[in-house]
Amino acid sequence: MKNLKPHTRRNLITFIGLAVVWIVVTVLRGQGVLGRSASGLLVPICCYVVMALSLNLTVGIMGELSLGHAGFMGIGAFTGIIVSQSLMRAVPSVPLRLIAAMLVGAVFAGIFGFLIGIPVLRLRGDYLAIVTLAFGEIIKELITCLLVGVDEHGLHIIFNYKGLKGVEDLHLSETGQVIIKGAQGATGTQPIATFNAGMILIFLTLFIILNVIYSRTGRAIMAIRDNRIAAESVGIEITRHKMIAFVMSAAMAGAAGALYGLNYSNLVAAKFDFNTSILVLVFVVLGGLGNMRGSIIAAVLLYVLPEALRSMHDYRMLIYAVVLIAVMLATNSPIAQSFFARFRFGRKGGDEE
Amino acid sequence: MSEQKKRPATKMVPVQTHAIVPDRDADKSPILECHHLGIDFGGLTAVNDFNLMIGRTEIAGLIGPNGAGKTTVFNMLTKVYQPTRGVILIDGHDTSKMSTAQVSRMGIARTFQNIRLFKEMSVADNVLVGLHHEMDYRLPSAILRLPDFWRGERIARERALELLSIFDMQDMADAKAGSLPYGAQRRLEIVRALATNPSLLLLDEPAAGMNPSETSDLMDNIVKIRDLFHIAIMLIEHDMNLVMGICEGICVLNFGEVIAKGSPDEIKQNPVVIEAYLGKKDKKEAQ
Ligand SMILES: Nc1ncnc2c1ncn2[C@@H]1O[C@H](COP(=O)(O)OP(=O)(O)OP(=O)(O)O)[C@@H](O)[C@H]1O
Ligand SMILES: [Mg+2]
């Protein structure tokens, strides 16, 4: 380990840590130590970890604010649900269907990321924040207008923007099944998401992000973040590299969304609102911009915390706020940093990411 | 991008032409030509009717008082600003439709008066960004860490260290660029520019903030770079010892207009230049 480059060692430790957590949780579940409610949190935690990692690619590595990351998650969730439900008969294998759902969710979210990116990423300034904010809200409303059902003739989709149509208008046959019922969201979904799938998705996301960061593409993206004019002056195409980062970020959020959507039998689009986008942004900022390990830790802790505090009722959000402030102080104060630096394995300090 | 022919990688083989031959480039086409170049900012004409030719291996100087428009010329050459009038030809190619990135790939590299490094990245990574187009592996190879990724990265890193060694900076490769002392940051900017394999290097006040011994090292290194890479260099500089010491041709700007062009000796004796530029400085020094 000693002769590895610092970042390689650091990343290796992150992967080993993840693997240890995976094994420990699996063993605990096998012995029935984890209760039902704790087990129920595992898949959403994985999804939010992937959300935080992918948003960190946009905010930390590309250096642009995105306020609609939940929108990509929503696209992934509902396309994932449609894929999984409509392939029910054709593909009986649950893992295969889950993979197909996540792939299609990622592709659709990536396409939307690309479409948003075309006009916005060529502009200078904080336009991405504004446009993604609007996008997140709009996509939520659009999904609310969807009526989707499936029967042996294939998918039936109505875009019910006037709100006048109902499920009957889908004209499904006897054996048909409604997948998305407008404002009621997806109902009767077969929940096929698993913790193992979640962990694999985290590994894959982290692997891809880190391998991109430590490559010519990643350096180009970070160079644009650090100094746009200088990056251009050495021949880096700005829009193209921003697009790569943004589309990857959107696609990963889509995959996380598909997994999330397939964890519940009922899901409404309102879940993917501005609050969710901000929640993920808080994970990223508190975990440290560009710091992937920090994103993972922040996402896990800050997602579990409010759930763990549920018994405290009214004081819940108060404690949550205090913890946020404490974490913020801890990650930013030099004293706390030097204190934590002592616990870092084999690092001489100072070579901060 | 792909229609532009890939220039062969420069080899770091020293050549013997330490003696400066002013007309050695005469029979070759100039690397840079500017015809009637001009730019307005709102009502203000910052540069007007700027004409210039630079030979293949020339070291040229662009001087003039503060606010004369020197940096603006560099910004037009690199398309950071779009010229209002005139033509820029790089190696005979019109750049009017090109972006900054495309001009870089045509062979112009530059440094900045107010240093613009990738501060959060390491010294080596700054140079590696300059080597971006020298690496030819694609993103999927990087994600899957295929052999061509490793090969490309290894060669690029060796090249980066080799370039850093021009300024004896190879030992700082893993330091954060923003943490370097001022002079080293200026030198790193030059190395990063060289990494793009340019045929014309533009240096905007490379000696600013350097002490006399650093400046004299820099002078040697600028000449060394020209001789190693066979490239043309144009520099903006207020340090007259440096300009008169290494520039073969000098162009003097004042209020956006070229007031004189010539060899160092001609410029030193030109009364208009003395009046506009050197004279003021002498007066200041005499006080
Ligand atoms: N983007 C801009 N918008 C408006 N005016 C500008 C802009 N850039 C430069 N100028 C003006 O153009 C003129 C020339 O500026 P420039 O920076 O080229 O001078 P310079 O010769 O490099 O001076 P110095 O020696 O101080 O670096 C100045 O009057 C400046 O205010
Ligand atoms: Mg200037």
Side-chain angles (χ1 to χ4, degrees):
Chain A
M1 290 260 283
K2 276 273 144 57
N3 48 14
L4 291 174
K5 285 202 199 113
H7 70 248
T8 318
R9 193 171 57 216
R10 201 178 145 76
N11 297 340
L12 209 61
I13 291 171
T14 310
F15 278 114
I16 293 171
L18 275 174
V20 169
V21 169
W22 191 355
I23 293 167
V24 168
V25 170
T26 307
V27 169
L28 287 182
R29 282 177 87 195
Q31 303 194 323
V33 182
L34 281 190
R36 271 191 71 116
S37 62
S39 287
L41 288 180
L42 291 175
V43 171
I45 288 174
C46 291
C47 295
Y48 277 100
V49 166
V50 174
M51 286 297 288
L53 286 171
S54 59
L55 185 63
N56 206 343
L57 186 58
T58 299
V59 180
I61 303 299
M62 183 167 99
E64 296 220 21
L65 198 52
S66 168
L67 297 176
H69 210 48
F72 296 117
M73 193 186 190
I75 292 173
F78 285 92
T79 43
I81 289 170
I82 293 172
V83 168
S84 169
Q85 291 298 100
S86 53
L87 289 180
M88 196 97 79
R89 276 183 219 119
V91 187
S93 153
V94 167
L96 273 186
R97 241 186 314 138
L98 195 53
I99 291 171
M102 288 198 280
L103 273 181
V104 176
V107 168
F108 268 78
I111 291 172
F112 274 87
F114 183 72
L115 293 177
I116 292 177
I118 293 172
V120 178
L121 292 178
R122 52 183 74 235
L123 302 175
R124 294 163 208 219
D126 291 328
Y127 294 101
L128 191 68
I130 301 162
V131 173
T132 48
L133 170 67
F135 159 77
E137 293 305 297
I138 291 169
I139 219 66
K140 195 182 68 187
E141 298 303 326
L142 291 184
I143 294 173
T144 309
C145 294
L146 275 181
L147 291 172
V148 181
V150 66
D151 60 15
E152 61 275 8
H153 303 298
L155 275 179
H156 298 244
I157 300 174
I158 295 181
F159 187 62
N160 182 24
Y161 65 98
K162 282 189 182 148
L164 298 175
K165 297 202 171 151
V167 176
E168 356 27 280
D169 297 307
L170 285 170
H171 301 301
L172 296 175
S173 68
E174 304 264 297
T175 55
Q177 189 215 354
V178 182
I179 303 176
I180 299 175
K181 273 189 206 161
Q184 283 169 276
T187 52
T189 313
Q190 183 195 16
I192 56 173
T194 61
F195 172 61
N196 284 344
M199 284 309 292
I200 292 170
L201 186 62
I202 294 178
F203 265 89
L204 210 62
T205 311
L206 190 63
F207 181 80
I208 293 174
I209 289 180
L210 291 175
N211 283 355
V212 169
I213 291 178
Y214 299 104
S215 77
R216 64 198 278 259
T217 310
R219 284 189 297 260
I221 295 167
M222 291 186 287
I224 297 168
R225 170 197 69 191
D226 279 5
N227 201 308
R228 179 193 170 106
I229 291 181
E232 277 183 290
S233 84
V234 293
I236 305 293
E237 304 95 339
I238 307 291
T239 313
R240 184 165 162 253
H241 283 97
K242 283 188 169 180
M243 190 65 99
I244 291 173
F246 190 62
V247 170
M248 281 182 61
S249 169
M252 288 164 175
L259 188 70
Y260 188 87
L262 290 170
N263 192 45
Y264 303 97
S265 42
N266 296 302
L267 184 73
V268 289
K271 180 74 203 139
F272 307 105
D273 60 359
F274 184 60
N275 288 341
T276 305
S277 294
I278 292 299
L279 183 72
V280 178
L281 188 62
V282 168
F283 298 160
V284 171
V285 172
L286 286 188
L289 293 181
N291 181 347
M292 296 301 156
R293 194 200 289 179
S295 283
I296 298 175
I297 296 171
V300 174
L301 290 183
L302 295 179
Y303 189 80
V304 171
L305 191 68
E307 304 293 333
L309 293 177
R310 231 171 241 289
S311 56
M312 328 240 349
H313 304 290
D314 294 345
Y315 298 107
R316 194 166 83 120
M317 289 326 276
L318 184 69
I319 296 175
Y320 187 70
V322 170
V323 170
L324 281 191
I325 294 169
V327 173
M328 209 147 57
L329 290 176
T331 45
N332 288 313
S333 97
I335 304 168
Q337 271 168 358
S338 61
F339 176 77
F340 286 120
R342 276 190 252 159
F343 298 101
R344 289 186 187 153
F345 313 81
R347 295 213 312 145
K348 299 225 169 62
D351 58 337
E352 212 35 70
E353 274 185 326
Chain B
M1 278 292 101
S2 51
E3 73 272 13
Q4 279 157 28
K5 69 178 174 7
K6 183 121 176 101
R7 281 168 294 120
T10 333
K11 301 238 168 48
M12 302 239 315
V13 183
V15 285
Q16 294 93 331
T17 53
H18 260 288
I20 288 166
V21 193
D23 6 67
R24 65 183 179 276
D25 301 325
D27 54 336
K28 300 186 204 106
S29 64
I31 186 66
L32 176 78
E33 284 174 71
C34 302
H35 298 295
H36 311 294
L37 203 56
I39 186 168
D40 302 337
F41 294 112
L44 174 93
T45 298
V47 175
N48 197 27
D49 201 24
F50 182 82
N51 296 286
L52 189 72
M53 263 188 208
I54 294 186
R56 294 267 155 184
T57 59
E58 184 177 338
I59 298 183
L62 182 60
I63 63 172
N66 288 110
K70 307 179 294 295
T71 301
T72 305
V73 169
F74 274 19
N75 282 338
M76 286 192 288
L77 295 180
T78 52
K79 298 313 271 305
V80 174
Y81 295 159
Q82 181 68 32
T84 317
R85 299 170 291 279
V87 201
I88 303 166
L89 300 177
I90 303 172
D91 205 359
H93 299 280
D94 185 356
T95 68
S96 56
K97 299 244 155 47
M98 292 185 191
S99 67
T100 301
Q102 285 167 325
V103 164
S104 154
R105 301 209 62 194
M106 287 298 295
I108 295 194
R110 72 175 290 186
T111 66
F112 296 87
Q113 183 173 356
N114 47 344
I115 300 173
R116 288 177 174 273
L117 287 172
F118 310 126
K119 288 206 183 80
E120 299 297 318
M121 301 169 69
S122 74
V123 168
D125 281 349
N126 269 265
V127 185
L128 286 170
V129 175
L131 289 166
H132 184 85
H133 291 288
E134 302 284 305
M135 285 175 264
D136 48 13
Y137 67 82
R138 308 218 141 249
L139 188 57
S141 300
I143 291 174
L144 299 172
R145 289 294 194 248
L146 298 182
D148 65 333
F149 163 82
W150 293 111
R151 185 169 36 80
E153 286 286 312
R154 197 194 63 239
I155 295 170
R157 175 136 185 127
E158 280 166 12
R159 176 91 181 127
L161 292 176
E162 194 183 9
L163 288 166
L164 283 167
S165 71
I166 299 174
F167 289 113
D168 227 3
M169 289 174 70
Q170 65 275 35
D171 297 335
M172 307 175 186
D174 292 318
K176 205 167 164 179
S179 71
L180 293 185
Y182 193 74
Q185 294 200 9
R186 287 219 171 273
R187 289 188 284 270
L188 177 56
E189 272 213 324
I190 300 179
V191 175
R192 182 182 67 189
L194 283 172
T196 65
N197 190 16
S199 28
L200 171 63
L201 177 61
L202 306 176
L203 304 175
D204 198 343
E205 307 202 10
M210 288 191 179
N211 62 36
S213 96
E214 278 181 312
T215 305
S216 107
D217 286 348
L218 179 71
M219 284 170 71
D220 295 343
N221 280 320
I222 290 174
V223 177
K224 184 173 103 185
I225 286 167
R226 192 271 311 272
D227 294 342
L228 281 172
F229 294 86
H230 297 282
I231 58 173
I233 298 176
M234 173 147 82
L235 53 91
I236 296 174
E237 191 43 73
H238 288 292
D239 183 324
M240 282 307 128
N241 288 330
L242 186 151
V243 175
M244 298 300 168
I246 61 174
C247 292
E248 299 154 89
I250 296 174
C251 175
V252 189
L253 268 183
N254 197 17
F255 296 114
E257 307 263 356
V258 177
I259 55 168
K261 266 191 238 178
S263 69
D265 287 330
E266 287 162 359
I267 294 297
K268 271 185 224 163
Q269 280 148 26
N270 188 318
V272 186
V273 176
I274 294 169
E275 164 67 32
Y277 187 82
L278 298 173
K280 271 191 222 151
K281 196 171 179 197
D282 284 348
K283 266 183 228 149
K284 215 187 277 168
E285 274 166 4
Q287 281 165 5

